[in-house]
Amino acid sequence: MDRSSDPVTRNSLLEDIKKLGIIPGKDLWVHSALSRIGRPEGGANTIIDVLRAAIGPDATLIMPAYPMSVSMFDHMRDPSPFDMIHSPSRMGALTEIFRKIPEALRSAHPTHSIAALGPSAALYTSSHHKSPQLCGPGSPFDIQAQRGGYILALGTGVGKITAYHWIEDHMGHFPLRVHLPERMAKEVIFPDGHSETIEIEIADPKLSPWRIDNFQPKETEILAVLEMGGAVQKGKFGNCEALLIDVATFHKIMRSLAESGTTIYYRPKLLAVASLFSRLREFAG
């Protein structure tokens, strides 16, 4: 009998998360697909409560609260401001519920705003908009790379993990050019009502179809390498597959891959040639 529509109990979720082996006290970044988890008793807040219980009071829970449903380029080209209070998260129902928790803090990055809840929430959110690079110094991605902890993918697979881009922003010679040559700016409205114009680097939309989040063979390839390197613990959470990723091991493996020419982009050699032509056109112009 198919029981996927049955409610998921709090106790079963607690048991699932326990089996994954999360060590309390370590920060947890969660990517999620609520519809794949199932119908938790008590609603989505039950999932948040279970995740907070798993990491304990000394760790911080983080979720994407990205306000965009299109590419970075198209989102930044839209003249509408990013309102930290009123612009919803487009990263799924769970993230929208999470970012609305009164104690949660949200970062001011115009495309990749995140929400955090816990003792280090201010550390993760306060400086995100001050770096033009998505994963540059002061970004929550860089902070977690330094502090360690976990990334948890609940029903999303590893393709939706944003932390991959940390390597692009911190490796001296990434195998291909992934950003447009010109930065773009957007107005951001802060919770106190004041606004600032935030300028950031933009991912080249031409690479998007070949990136891990849009190209299944690349996701399969990277997941296999992460598993072989001991970065991933597989399990279940409700009705979905859960992938618990150790942040330190994850970054070590991804850097090693990039240094050998393998990235989250399909056919890196062909893309590198395209990037070279782009640079030549920029120089000639």
Side-chain angles (χ1 to χ4, degrees), residues 36-147:
R36 294 179 181 174
I37 296 172
R39 297 189 298 114
E41 292 180 344
N45 283 308
T46 296
I47 296 175
I48 296 171
D49 290 344
V50 167
L51 295 172
R52 295 183 70 185
I55 61 176
D58 297 327
T60 298
L61 182 62
I62 310 151
M63 293 190 191
Y66 312 160
M68 59 179 186
S69 56
V70 292
S71 70
M72 290 181 76
F73 178 79
D74 287 333
H75 179 75
M76 292 296 285
R77 187 169 56 175
D78 184 332
S80 304
F82 165 48
D83 189 317
M84 292 175 64
I85 296 294
H86 298 105
S87 295
S89 168
R90 303 293 185 184
M91 293 295 105
L94 186 64
T95 67
E96 176 66 358
I97 292 169
F98 179 71
R99 72 108 185 162
K100 286 184 173 181
I101 294 175
E103 298 82 12
L105 300 180
R106 191 180 195 183
S107 69
H109 194 279
T111 62
H112 285 75
S113 169
I114 66 104
L117 182 61
S120 298
L123 175 66
Y124 278 104
T125 58
S126 61
S127 299
H128 194 185
H129 62 291
K130 297 178 181 179
S131 172
Q133 296 176 310
L134 171 61
C135 299
S139 73
F141 307 97
D142 187 47
I143 291 168
Q144 195 185 35
Q146 296 175 41
R147 289 168 60 91

Side-chain angles (χ1 to χ4, degrees), residues 22-45:
I22 290 177
I23 299 174
K26 293 190 174 184
D27 298 341
L28 179 66
W29 191 304
V30 179
H31 295 271
S32 61
L34 181 58
S35 62
R36 294 179 181 174
I37 296 172
R39 297 189 298 114
E41 292 180 344
N45 283 308

Side-chain angles (χ1 to χ4, degrees), residues 198-219:
I198 307 298
E199 188 178 83
I200 60 171
E201 291 184 352
I202 303 297
D204 188 341
K206 293 185 178 66
L207 302 184
S208 178
W210 309 106
R211 199 173 55 213
I212 187 171
D213 52 326
N214 295 316
F215 194 73
Q216 184 63 47
K218 175 56 70 173
E219 180 175 356

